Amino acid sequence: MLRIDAMKAVYPKLENCVVVTIMGAVSAELQSLGHRPNFFYLQHAMGLASSLGLGIALSRPELRVVVLDGDGSILMNLGSLTTLARYRPKNLLHVVFDNESLLSVGGFPTATSTGSDIAGMAAAAGVPRTTTARTLDEFVTAFDEALAANELTTLVAKVEAKGPPVFLTDLPMLENRFQFARHLRTMNIER
């Protein structure tokens, strides 16, 4: 499964969610599908998308928060899994695209390429719902079930180590920051 295909399949469902992405291929591919003011591309902060998503989910429990993360990123901040489990925001879906590499910074293999299991780590940390999807159909089904469950979920999507030709967005960071903050203040969506 390609990450871009997975994001394309759930893109319409992101319209009414707060979306936080990690840097690199995830943010570039999501923006290529069409930027929305409820998307925040967390640039230059590898490992912290789950932490930012947690903060938003806790401070705005009436909103659905979707974090689009990567294996290299979550492996840099494994402690966030225990923090997510500690607070268990019911409105947070943590998607981890696992391509078994640090694709955006050279393609070096991550620990998942030798057997480390991110969904297993999340479950062991106490995240109540975890799953791994290996096909596009499995991913879409798991994504839909997670949104409907109203319970903290970590969804690991096993994807190919392929990405866009450039790993940057064309939206300036400060513009994204201010646009996202303004939009977040106006959001009041019932799940």
Side-chain angles (χ1 to χ4, degrees), residues 32-172:
S32 78
L33 297 175
H35 172 68
R36 292 179 173 155
N38 56 309
F39 293 173
F40 186 71
Y41 313 106
L42 187 60
Q43 303 292 335
H44 307 296
M46 191 169 178
L48 297 176
S50 57
S51 299
L52 180 60
L54 173 64
I56 296 169
L58 291 174
S59 65
R60 297 292 305 271
E62 78 281 10
L63 301 178
R64 168 66 64 196
V65 179
V66 176
V67 173
L68 301 177
D69 214 340
D71 56 319
S73 179
I74 194 62
L75 290 168
M76 289 186 73
N77 188 14
L78 283 174
S80 70
L81 294 175
T82 61
T83 307
L84 288 172
R86 157 74 174 83
Y87 291 99
R88 291 181 187 222
K90 294 179 178 190
N91 58 327
L92 179 61
L93 168 53
H94 182 211
V95 176
V96 181
F97 292 109
D98 181 2
N99 60 15
E100 300 182 359
S101 74
L102 295 167
L103 183 66
S104 300
V105 293
F108 309 102
T110 65
T112 61
S113 70
T114 57
S116 293
D117 177 0
I118 294 171
M121 289 183 235
V127 174
R129 296 186 79 251
T130 65
T131 191
T132 299
R134 289 179 166 70
T135 68
L136 187 57
D137 287 340
E138 288 176 0
F139 175 74
V140 171
T141 298
F143 190 92
D144 290 345
E145 289 173 354
L147 288 180
N150 198 33
E151 188 171 29
L152 172 63
T153 302
T154 295
L155 165 56
V156 177
K158 298 294 274 188
V159 295
E160 295 179 42
K162 294 181 181 175
V166 178
F167 296 104
L168 301 170
T169 63
D170 62 6
L171 181 67

Side-chain angles (χ1 to χ4, degrees), residues 11 14 19 83 123 127 133 162 173 178:
Y11 181 81
L14 300 177
V19 181
T83 307
V127 174
K162 294 181 181 175
M173 287 187 296
F178 292 124

Side-chain angles (χ1 to χ4, degrees), residues 3 7 21-31 68-70 97:
R3 178 183 41 252
M7 286 193 288
T21 76
I22 196 52
M23 58 184 246
V26 175
S27 59
E29 288 180 343
L30 181 63
Q31 189 189 40
L68 301 177
D69 214 340
F97 292 109

